[in-house]
Amino acid sequence: MLLFAMGFLLIILQPSTGQFPRACANTQSLLRKECCPPWDGDRSPCGELSSRGSCQNILLSQAPLGPQFPFSGVDDREDWPSTFYNRTCKCEGNFMGFNCGECKFGFSGPNCTERRLRTRRNIFQLTTKEKDKFLAYLNLAKNTPSKDYVIATGTYTQMNNGSNPMFRNINVYDLFVWMHYYASRDTLLGGSNVWRDIDFAHEAPGFLPWHRVFLLMWEREIQKITGDENFTIPYWDWRDAEDCVVCTDEYMGGRHPTNPNLLSPASFFSSWQVICTRSEEYNSQQALCNATSEGPILRNPGNNDKSRTPRLPSSAEVEFCLSLTQYESGSMDKMANYSFRNTLEGFADPRTAISNISQSGLHNALHIYMNGSMSQVQGSANDPVFVLHHAFVDSIFERWLRRHRPMLEVYPAANAPIGHNRENYMVPFIPLYRNGEFFKPSRELGYDYEYLQEPALDSFQEFLTPYLEQARQIWAWLVGAAVIGGIVTAVLTGLILTCRKKRRGTSSEIQPLLTESEDYNNISYQSNF
């Protein structure tokens, strides 16, 4: 019955999100460097006739970058997306999308005015029906071609600067695998030369915001192709786990009975083909991954290099990581010490926060532990365990945001590795998103985590938080103002009393304490921090 339902959905539904909009993957758009497709509602570019948005020049950040990438003008991802387009849709209000045809995360309705909050749940708290539905949705995404998006199979230079477009179709699930690959691939320098110390989604401040956007887009795509607006990604809480408890045929696929590196044939994930896993081959050919099938998912959990990752992360390590007050520090890369981001990502020891790239902690530990497709950065999203894992990593990021309540200025504005400054657009997303736009609590983006919900307390805290945080920023000024105010009040009181004594000495009339003309109803007190 489940397979029949999936087949039916494959026929009647189509997706709509991703990387290069199909409407802009043509010679005219590339030569004009413009991606402003019409909105279906009024057929005007960016829905301009309906005041949804307009086609505008892209404003790129001019903030200086870190020293990790010593080149300029050699990688299509520099100053994303200006190599391909320098004009895109700028949406108004709560509208979003490459043609302003969608609502921002957290909003819904025909005019995107309705607030909506969805809850991500522990995969082991789902009912059997809910769990089976999630697995069916994954398989549907793997077998549904994307209607609105395509992938690039060549660099801009290989496309002859736009006059020879090189794009191809891809299914919805693999679209996201390809995006993860594209953001983390090496820079092709010509000949057999590459630059490996570059990654637009890892090893720097943007790691957590980038994957937050990635999951939100993936989640929305599933909502679209299934028609299930309430769908949310479940998470796997791997703290203190002794083994891969989701690696069973009931969930994400068990171990093959004769080949420990493969998935059990009883799981339909065993028939999935991976893409974008042969980075050395692409580098030697100076080519991009073209999404050709490259074999089955590989996974052999627990049989990894124990000297690098002896076990899965513990609750104590997560709590220590959450205690770190600095989001980013020092070089803002995988060598950063006492950095919450670097410790959670796994390049710093989760017990000391000191960088140690010979070990893999927290987020990285899970990838290494899975010992297969998940363990190679560029192709790691091929394994569907990826989304469960990153949903939980995102929940830890969310806990840190709620505990420390950082101002936006905490996210680095300059000198981060390429692509990771606050105002940089994230590679390779179109529509465009800046890193800093997702350095905020998840509830402002329309979702929450079941194990983090405390409704009554949280609603009160949410009301007070903006005022408390701003007061904290200027507390010294407030104290100073109070002291000065006290001194002024004391002086004025003394003067008034002195004047009254003098008046009593020269006149027998009793003076009124207040005059009738004083209108106290018009007095207002405002805190304008």
Side-chain angles (χ1 to χ4, degrees), residues 129 155 157 159 176 210 212 266 276 416 429 447 471 480 484 521:
K129 182 179 179 181
T155 65
T157 299
M159 295 185 195
F176 287 86
W210 191 97
R212 173 162 280 195
C276 302
F429 303 131
Y447 72 100
I484 293 172
N521 293 325

Side-chain angles (χ1 to χ4, degrees), residues 120-126 130-131 134-135 138 173 211 214-215 218-219 231-239 244-248 250-253 269 299 363 366-367 370 374 380-396 449 451:
R120 292 178 180 172
R121 300 168 58 199
N122 189 319
I123 191 168
F124 293 114
Q125 298 300 318
L126 303 181
E130 291 169 334
K131 180 261 298 177
F134 167 63
L135 299 180
L138 284 171
Y173 188 92
H211 285 83
F214 181 89
L215 292 179
W218 192 91
E219 198 168 57
F231 170 77
T232 54
I233 299 170
Y235 58 86
W236 170 29
D237 183 349
W238 34 248
R239 290 173 298 180
C244 181
V245 290
V246 297
C247 298
T248 65
E250 183 183 1
Y251 287 93
M252 311 310 291
F269 293 125
R299 187 198 299 158
H363 156 265
L366 195 286
H367 279 278
M370 299 306 288
M374 275 270 284
S380 59
N382 278 293
D383 191 329
V385 172
F386 179 95
V387 293
L388 304 180
H389 169 45
H390 272 276
F392 189 64
V393 171
D394 183 74
S395 79
I396 299 174
Y449 288 94
Y451 83 107

Side-chain angles (χ1 to χ4, degrees), residues 56 63 80 100 105 177 205-206 211 219 229 242 269 274 294 325 339 342 364 372 380 387 417 424 441 493 521:
Q56 295 190 17
W80 181 261
C100 301
F105 300 117
V177 176
H211 285 83
E219 198 168 57
E229 294 186 354
E242 296 184 1
F269 293 125
V274 301
E294 297 174 348
T325 58
S339 154
N342 202 36
N364 287 350
S380 59
V387 293
N424 288 150
T493 301
N521 293 325

